[in-house]
Amino acid sequence: MKHACWALGAMLVMTACAAPSTLSPMAIRLAPGSARHVTTRGGLRTGPRLTVPLQEPESFEGNDKPFSSPQWAVAYDFDVMVPVDGPTTQLHLGFQGELGCGADTDISCPVPVPGYGLSMGLSHHLRWGRWSLAPAFILRGATDFGLGSEGGPGSMLGVEGSLSLGVDLGGATVGVVPFFGVHRLIVSERTVSATYTGLALAGHFAMEDGSFLELTAGAGHVKVRGVEGWWAPIFGLRGGP
């Protein structure tokens, strides 16, 4: 009976596979972070699936329905910031996992299913009084291992630059984060170039117990070679101890 349950669970996850979404901006840094300890963040964020117009053109709605699945998705997003040079320069290591929620995959929700993604990069935080600036450079990769039934199969390699501009209001820091990413999509037996450019409004809220909450909202514009560009809404909710 135990083996049957494991087999059923594995089958549900396999049938719920989805192409990876593109979560941007990758390195939001309104607060300086710790000079001695690793800072962890985790939560939910949204982004476009860049492979959808190539793999499922019949499901692609473009700007007519920007919130429609599978071209827009929700994913788990976790990252750690490791001090490299005190609180100023930090190493970012990130992981994402698609939410098993979609038109035909609600049975696996909220299990994280393939695609999965990894990211790594650096950010540098500068501060002048209440004002701060933090440029960041991130490498990313994501794949559904050729199993994606929602918007795939597909894989992605890319690089993103961003700039977090913030103002400290005392207990909360708010700001804007423009970003620009260049990606290489691997779909079936071909590769296609894509760019994702946008702006997110962000807020970092410190709690009395030392934890924090991070909120983001904005939009990004996707350009895939051979496809009319479209806008993708950006929302995020993350927190950390």
Side-chain angles (χ1 to χ4, degrees), residues 189-233:
E189 298 181 354
R190 58 177 174 152
T191 61
V192 180
S193 297
T195 61
Y196 185 34
T197 309
L199 178 76
L201 305 178
H204 184 280
F205 304 93
M207 306 300 176
E208 293 183 358
D209 61 0
S211 63
F212 65 88
L213 180 68
E214 179 187 278
L215 303 176
T216 54
H221 189 259
V222 183
K223 287 186 178 180
V224 178
R225 175 175 290 184
V227 179
E228 183 178 356
W230 78 97
W231 288 93

Side-chain angles (χ1 to χ4, degrees), residues 13 16 76 97-101 107-114 116:
V13 170
Y76 293 107
E98 295 300 301
L99 221 64
C101 308
I107 193 167
S108 69
C109 191
V111 176
V113 300
Y116 301 132

